[in-house]
């Protein structure tokens, strides 16, 4: 991991035989510790770091200019290292909001100008991941437990007990296996939430956070997760051994996935 942020420009007409990113890049180093998360809203870029700060950059409007200009710096956004950063759109006010999680066991909601809106406290552990589900307007938070904590982003209230079913037998099965939920990612095209666990699995939920519709078994503990925004929707997981796995939902039903794995060495051979 690095303390710097790099901005690359895409290569026009990229193919499997040529790189997708230009080798030349713009590098900025305004953080004093590891940069953990980056989110982009239109022309603005927000970075969060273990140094407890959130920095807002403005990108250039010229395609060939990758310069990042500092617009605002919030040095003590949290009282401990920031672990995750995400964004949500408030359709009522037609504005974006920034959400951060930290080792201080709190979640904070910010305006686009990094002004504090809500602070959610009292969570049981370090915040490892945050995801907003626009379909239900609920904020999902992971804090090292076997369950998802759910909040109303408008009021900051904990609404987990109103949405969960503590007597659900499927939840009991998850608890008995001692799963620890690590990272969340919402796929709007599928209206599903994907989550990695410490049991080398990826779970997929639809509507009910305590009843996964699918469980994808990985060879090693997943360290990262992303997806493609266009059809066909592909899920990619990065394992702790440097292996990347591509998951594709079969047309047969919503529960089965095909997978294809490759290493970074395999990818370099194609370049």
């Amino acid at each position: 991991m690095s303390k710097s942020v790099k901005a690359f420009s895409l290569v026009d007409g990229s193919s499997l035989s040529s790189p997708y990113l230009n080798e030349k890049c713009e590098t900025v180093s305004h953080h004093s510790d590891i940069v953990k998360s980056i989110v982009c809203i239109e022309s603005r870029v927000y970075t969060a770091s273990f140094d407890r700060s959130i920095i807002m950059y403005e990108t250039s409007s010229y395609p060939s200019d990758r310069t990042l200009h500092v617009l605002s710096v919030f040095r003590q956004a949290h009282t401990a290292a920031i672990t995750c950063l995400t964004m949500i759109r408030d359709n009522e006010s037609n504005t974006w909001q920034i959400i951060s999680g930290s080792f201080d066991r709190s979640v904070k909601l910010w305006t686009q100008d990094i002004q504090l809106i809500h602070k959610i406290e009292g969570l049981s552990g370090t915040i490892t991941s945050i995801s907003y589900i626009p379909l239900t307007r609920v904020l999902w938070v992971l804090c090292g437990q076997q369950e998802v904590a759910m909040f109303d982003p408008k009021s900051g209230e904990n609404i987990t007990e109103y949405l969960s079913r503590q007597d659900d037998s499927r939840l009991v099965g998850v608890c008995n296996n001692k799963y620890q939920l690590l990272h969340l990612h919402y796929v709007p095209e599928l209206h599903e939430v994907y989550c990695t666990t410490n049991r080398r699995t990826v779970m997929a939920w639809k509507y009910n956070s305590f009843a996964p519709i699918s469980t994808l078994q990985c060879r090693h503990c997943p360290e990262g997760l992303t997806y493609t925004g266009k059809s066909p929707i592909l899920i990619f997981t990065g394992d702790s051994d440097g292996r990347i796995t591509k998951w594709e939902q079969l047309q047969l039903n919503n529960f089965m996935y095909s997978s294809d794995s490759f290493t970074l060495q395999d990818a370099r051979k194609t370049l």
Side-chain angles (χ1 to χ4, degrees), residues 25-85:
C25 65
E26 171 76 9
T27 302
V28 293
S29 301
H30 298 106
H31 287 286
S32 59
D33 208 334
I34 294 171
V35 177
K36 193 65 173 69
S37 299
I38 300 175
V39 296
C40 302
I41 302 176
E42 298 172 345
S43 62
R44 292 185 177 181
V45 178
Y46 299 81
T47 60
S49 167
F50 278 3
D51 64 7
R52 309 177 185 181
S53 67
I54 297 176
I55 299 180
M56 176 174 62
Y57 297 92
E58 179 75 22
T59 59
S60 173
S61 58
Y62 296 98
S64 59
D65 188 356
R66 298 176 297 276
T67 306
L68 295 174
H69 305 280
V70 177
L71 291 183
S72 180
V73 179
F74 201 117
R75 287 298 179 192
Q76 294 297 323
H78 283 267
T79 58
I82 300 174
T83 55
C84 51
L85 197 68

Side-chain angles (χ1 to χ4, degrees), residues 244-259:
I244 298 174
T245 303
K246 177 184 71 174
W247 307 87
E248 182 175 4
Q249 192 176 60
L250 301 181
Q251 296 182 355
L252 181 64
N253 55 49
N254 295 327
F255 310 97
M256 300 175 64
Y257 288 75
S258 64
S259 65

Side-chain angles (χ1 to χ4, degrees), residues 131-146:
S131 186
Y132 176 66
I133 317 302
L135 195 66
T136 55
R137 298 181 182 179
V138 175
L139 184 67
W140 289 26
V141 178
L142 298 185
C143 49
Q145 302 299 312
Q146 301 163 359

Side-chain angles (χ1 to χ4, degrees), residues 72 74 98 108-118:
S72 180
F74 201 117
I98 309 298
K108 292 185 177 183
L109 281 76
W110 313 83
T111 65
Q112 285 183 253
D113 298 321
I114 321 181
Q115 300 297 316
L116 185 63
I117 302 173
H118 293 304

Side-chain angles (χ1 to χ4, degrees), residues 8 19 21-22 27 67 71 77 151 163 165 175 195 210 225 268:
F8 294 86
L21 302 176
N22 255 325
T27 302
T67 306
L71 291 183
F151 296 86
L163 300 179
R165 294 173 55 193
C175 292
C195 177
F210 294 93
L225 188 151
R268 293 192 182 100

